[in-house]
Amino acid sequence: GENVEQHPSTLSVQEGDSAVIKCTYSDSASNYFPWYKQELGKRPQLIIDIRSNVGEKKDQRIAVTLNKTAKHFSLHITETQPEDSAVYFCAASVGTGGFKTIFGAGTRLFVKA
Amino acid sequence: EAQVTQNPRYLITVTGKKLTVTCSQNMNHEYMSWYRQDPGLGLRQIYYSMNVEVTDKGDVPEGYKVSRKEKRNFPLILESPSPNQTSLYFCASSPTSEYEQYFGPGTRLTVT
């Protein structure tokens, strides 16, 4: 069946460094790729998303890149801050109409001050 | 305030005792979905609904039922809960599929 693989599962960086999280997906018909951030004890919240007709999208310190040929997309966080510490999930819409959503297993990001 | 609400937030129950977790959104969203979150497995979709009276299975539908009789409500029903359904459950809604999903606060369910 469809799946989304996410790496690494844990990432530790120094404040000010960059962090990169990578995901691959299996459904070549996927068109929508959101990234969610979940702080401890909180609900997931969207931080950025990208659609299949776009190769890159940026919002301040956060950027996402998409390679449809390789079925691969990545989250880039620059100038990391302690408040960036959280679990990050990638996801992909799958199936006819993109009604199903498959999430990656998550990446726990630690930003050390 | 635009929001997704879930009730109850915490529930401890016993095997086989039917339960319902309610979910409601006030944003007039067409698309609603239920997920379960387990350590190391991320969020797995249980059921989703594209609109009133239109529902379909996600990746892990076994042991769950849903209904969508009104646009704002999307209850999750466990007819005969089992310990392997102990999990953190999230309801989410979005204007349509392939759009940002807004999550509820979560329901932590323990089945003994």
Side-chain angles (χ1 to χ4, degrees):
Chain A
E2 304 99 349
N3 73 299
V4 173
E5 293 190 2
Q6 183 172 347
H7 299 281
S9 57
T10 305
L11 180 59
S12 184
V13 301
Q14 286 293 138
E15 182 178 1
D17 287 351
S18 294
V20 180
I21 302 170
K22 299 181 179 183
C23 290
T24 58
Y25 60 97
S26 60
D27 187 354
S28 56
S30 293
N31 285 320
Y32 179 63
F33 307 90
W35 285 88
Y36 290 86
K37 175 184 180 181
Q38 187 178 29
E39 296 176 350
L40 191 62
K42 301 281 183 67
R43 70 193 79 185
Q45 289 190 293
L46 184 85
I47 54 170
I48 196 166
D49 56 11
I50 193 167
R51 297 185 185 277
S52 58
N53 59 346
V54 175
E56 184 173 357
K57 183 177 179 180
K58 190 173 181 181
D59 182 3
Q60 299 183 347
R61 296 186 297 109
I62 294 172
V64 57
T65 58
L66 171 65
N67 183 328
K68 281 221 76 177
T69 303
K71 290 190 278 188
H72 171 275
F73 59 115
S74 299
L75 177 71
H76 305 253
I77 306 173
T78 59
E79 300 171 23
T80 53
Q81 301 166 3
E83 51 265 39
D84 293 330
S85 296
V87 179
Y88 292 81
F89 294 99
C90 63
S93 64
V94 299
T96 305
F99 292 119
K100 285 179 66 174
T101 304
I102 304 290
F103 280 79
T107 296
R108 186 172 295 276
L109 174 63
F110 296 96
V111 180
K112 295 176 286 188
Chain B
E1 179 192 354
Q3 60 182 346
V4 179
T5 57
Q6 293 178 230
N7 283 291
R9 295 288 314 280
Y10 303 91
L11 179 59
I12 301 174
T13 189
V14 296
T15 299
K17 186 176 181 182
K18 181 180 178 179
L19 67 92
T20 299
V21 184
T22 64
C23 173
S24 184
Q25 51 93 4
N26 62 359
M27 296 170 278
N28 201 36
H29 286 168
E30 290 187 349
Y31 185 87
M32 297 186 75
S33 188
W34 275 103
Y35 297 90
R36 60 177 291 172
Q37 183 173 22
D38 302 290
L41 297 178
L43 293 145
R44 293 181 293 166
Q45 194 172 40
I46 303 170
Y47 269 95
Y48 59 90
S49 170
M50 294 80 88
N51 215 325
V52 175
E53 302 290 3
V54 184
T55 64
D56 206 348
K57 297 176 181 178
D59 260 5
V60 289
E62 295 79 18
Y64 304 95
K65 285 175 58 177
V66 293
S67 68
R68 187 94 181 271
K69 293 182 170 41
E70 306 164 284
K71 198 171 189 179
R72 64 184 294 127
N73 296 323
F74 190 44
L76 180 69
I77 303 156
L78 285 73
E79 295 268 4
S80 182
S82 62
N84 64 12
Q85 292 178 299
T86 292
S87 188
L88 177 59
Y89 290 87
F90 286 102
C91 178
S93 75
S94 61
T96 65
S97 64
E98 299 188 317
Y99 203 83
E100 174 182 3
Q101 293 190 52
Y102 296 84
F103 285 81
T107 295
R108 187 165 293 281
L109 172 65
T110 302
V111 183
T112 61

